[in-house]
Amino acid sequence: IADAETFSGHEDCHEQKKARKRNSKETAAALEKLLPKRCQVLGLVTPGVVVTPMGSSSNQPQEIEEGEAGFALLFPKIDGVKIHTFHFSKDSKNRVFDESKFAEAGLKNNPDLRVVLLFGYNSWKSGATRFLHQIVNPLNEKSIILAGGQVESFTSLTSENSSAQPGDACGVVGLAFSGPQIQSATVLLDQDVADERTAEAAMQRLKAANIPEQNTLGFMFACVGRGYRHYKTKRNMEADAFRKFFPNVPLFGFFGHGEIGCDRIVTGNFVLRECNDIKDDLLHGYTTVMTLIHLGSTK
C-alpha cells in the first residue's frame, strides 16, 4: 500500500497520466520479481497510510497523511490458514453481478471463511457504488468479518496477467482468510468519535472481544476526512488509542474514500450478538474501521 502521490503526483495532463500508469506497473513488476512465484501480490494505492515501523510489533504505529509513504505486509504460510486474493471487475454489459463468482473465489460455500478484506477502486466511476453494494450485500453474514475501504486504484494482482489490469474500470479486490482457528473483530468509529475519550471508548469495545494478541494483526481503514483534520490538528489520535489497548499488536492500513465495516465479533465458536434478519450497514463515510485478525496459536 502506498500513498497516491507516490504513484500519481498532482499533474493531470494525458501524457503524465500515461507515465504514472506505466510507473505503477513497473513498480509492481519489480516487487513481484523479489518474491517467490507462488506468492499472490495485491498492491493498493491510497491517499495516506497507517503503518507500524519495522523491528518490533510494539513500535508506535504512525498515521502518515502527507508526503510519500508505503509499506509491504507479507503473510507467512500458516498451518490451518488459507489466504487468497480475489478480483471482481464491473461488467459494463451486465448490470447484475453473477454471484456464482463468489463460490469460485472461495467466498461462498466455504464453512471455514472467517474474514474478508474488501477494497473498492475507481469509486468515482458511474455505477461503482451500486457494484460495491452487489459485492458486499451477499457477504453480509454475521459469521464473517467484512472490513476495508475505497482506494485510489490497485497496481498489482498477480493472479491475473498484466493485460487484464482494469485501467479506468471499477471493481473490488481483496483478501479472504479461511481457517477454523482464525478469530476476528471490528469496531466502527463514526463521526461522533471526535476526541481522545471517545476514540479510546471504541478501542475498549474492540478489547472486549477478547481476541488473543499473540499472532494478531490490526488494520485501520479511515476516511481522508478524519486524521488530524477531524481531531482538530491533533495527529495520530486513533493509532495512539489503538496502541494504548493493544501494546503488542502491529497496526496497518490506509486513509481512503469510504469505509467498509461495523461492530462485529467472530471467534472460533462464532459467539456473536443475537442474529436477526436485519443486515448490518457496512458502507460508511467519514468513519474509521478498526479490525483485529488473529491467525491462531503459534504452537
Side-chain angles (χ1 to χ4, degrees), residues 48-50 62-66 189-190 193-195 199 220-239 254-256 259 286-288 290:
V49 300
V50 180
Q62 299 175 10
E63 300 175 18
I64 304 174
E65 302 179 65
E66 297 172 341
L189 286 67
D190 61 22
V193 177
D195 56 32
M220 173 179 164
F221 306 115
C223 177
V224 290
R226 291 185 71 88
Y228 73 88
R229 299 172 185 85
H230 180 68
Y231 289 101
K232 296 181 172 55
T233 73
K234 187 172 178 61
R235 295 179 180 270
N236 229 61
M237 175 75 80
E238 293 174 342
F254 60 74
F255 291 88
E259 301 75 59
Y286 300 103
T287 65
T288 297
M290 286 286 190

Side-chain angles (χ1 to χ4, degrees), residues 244-296:
K244 181 175 180 178
F245 289 89
F246 302 97
N248 297 303
V249 177
L251 182 67
F252 301 93
F254 60 74
F255 291 88
H257 302 292
E259 301 75 59
I260 303 170
C262 65
D263 278 31
R264 185 177 287 183
I265 301 169
V266 174
T267 61
N269 59 357
F270 292 104
V271 177
L272 301 163
R273 65 186 185 283
E274 184 178 353
C275 294
N276 53 46
D277 293 332
I278 300 174
K279 296 286 190 178
D280 286 315
D281 185 8
L282 293 174
L283 302 182
H284 311 277
Y286 300 103
T287 65
T288 297
V289 174
M290 286 286 190
T291 305
L292 293 176
I293 302 178
H294 172 65
L295 299 174

Side-chain angles (χ1 to χ4, degrees), residues 97-153:
F97 179 74
D98 181 3
E99 292 191 16
S100 66
K101 294 181 180 179
F102 285 133
E104 295 172 10
L107 300 176
K108 280 291 185 183
N109 305 318
N110 178 3
D112 288 332
L113 182 64
R114 296 294 187 267
V115 183
V116 180
L117 299 183
L118 297 162
F119 310 110
Y121 61 86
N122 287 346
S123 59
W124 53 272
K125 293 286 289 184
S126 175
T129 299
R130 182 176 181 274
F131 183 75
L132 181 57
H133 275 283
Q134 290 181 334
I135 303 300
V136 169
N137 290 347
L139 298 175
N140 191 359
E141 301 175 5
K142 294 291 193 290
S143 59
I144 301 172
I145 291 291
L146 296 178
Q150 298 272 21
V151 302
E152 299 278 351
S153 63

Side-chain angles (χ1 to χ4, degrees), residues 9-10 22 37 39 46 166 182 194 212 232 256 263 269 275 297 299:
H10 295 290
R22 184 170 62 250
K37 289 184 178 180
C39 290
T46 67
I182 295 174
K232 296 181 172 55
D263 278 31
N269 59 357
C275 294
S297 171
K299 294 181 180 179

